[in-house]
Amino acid sequence: MTSSPAVPLILVLLILLGLLIFLFEIHILTYAYRKVGVHPRYAFAVMLLSLLGSHVNIPLYTVTTGTVVALNVGGALIPILVSLYLVTHTRMFGRMLIGTALVAAIVHSLAYVVPGAGIAVPMLIPPLVAAGVALLLAFRRAPPVAYVSGSMGTLVGADLLNLGQIGRLGAPVVSIGGAGTFDGVFLTGILAGLLA
């Protein structure tokens, strides 16, 4: 039995479609970082480090239950460094602090414990809240405020304010900025910047 000549063509078309979607997403993410205030030369590196760093956890300490508390490179360290850069570059510390506090309060009220995994947050709420807060606080310069408020507010509201819940998780490692909040932090920064 011979294979149809259409099968290789369909496979090639699917590969090309996947490549096109990948390039489109890379372009959008690079554009988003540029709008936020990250120089185009570094936008791709920041995005790549965030994605690759999502698999790397830096152990911080161990709690009495034996659970290791770690810092996720892609979901916490990179957003913290980008936020510090934006705070010093834009000098909008007060607005970014207020935005972060507002987002943290709302995210904390929505965060929930997932036993065996970590703290989870509804994925689309933080970027929408961060974009709205940023538009109110700094209309003309909203994207960097949205990035900092969204990413730092999600980290504080979901992870840092829930460190007392670690005993309920039953996980060997709990990662700040990992698992349930990585999507929230990574996407919040990107989407909030675009929305704002």
Side-chain angles (χ1 to χ4, degrees):
M1 189 169 181
T2 60
S3 63
S4 168
V7 173
L9 179 61
I10 291 173
L11 185 60
V12 168
L13 288 174
L14 287 174
I15 291 170
L16 289 175
L17 179 64
L19 182 62
L20 180 66
I21 291 170
F22 175 75
L23 291 173
F24 182 70
E25 288 181 6
I26 293 289
H27 178 70
I28 287 176
L29 291 174
T30 304
Y31 173 76
Y33 274 114
R34 240 183 308 146
K35 290 297 284 180
V36 162
V38 176
H39 194 280
R41 191 180 330 174
Y42 307 117
F44 182 75
V46 168
M47 181 187 60
L48 188 62
L49 287 172
S50 293
L51 292 173
L52 294 176
S54 67
H55 302 292
V56 179
N57 290 311
I58 301 168
L60 299 177
Y61 61 92
T62 304
V63 295
T64 54
T65 59
T67 301
V68 175
V69 177
L71 184 73
N72 186 272
V73 172
L77 184 60
I78 300 294
I80 289 169
L81 293 175
V82 171
S83 294
L84 287 173
Y85 166 78
L86 292 174
V87 167
T88 57
H89 183 69
T90 62
R91 298 173 189 233
M92 291 191 291
F93 179 75
R95 294 177 194 184
M96 290 176 172
L97 185 62
I98 293 168
T100 298
L102 291 171
V103 172
I106 292 168
V107 167
H108 181 65
S109 71
L110 298 172
Y112 55 95
V113 174
V114 178
I119 307 295
V121 178
M123 194 170 27
L124 292 177
I125 300 298
L128 292 174
V129 170
V133 165
L135 287 169
L136 289 173
L137 294 173
F139 185 77
R140 291 173 190 249
R141 299 173 70 191
V145 175
Y147 180 91
V148 173
S149 301
S151 57
M152 294 302 95
T154 301
L155 279 175
V156 171
D159 286 345
L160 297 183
L161 293 178
N162 283 305
L163 284 177
Q165 304 290 332
I166 290 174
R168 293 179 48 206
L169 295 175
V173 177
V174 173
S175 182
I176 298 169
T181 54
F182 171 74
D183 292 341
V185 174
F186 180 74
L187 292 176
T188 293
I190 301 300
L191 288 176
L194 284 175
L195 290 171

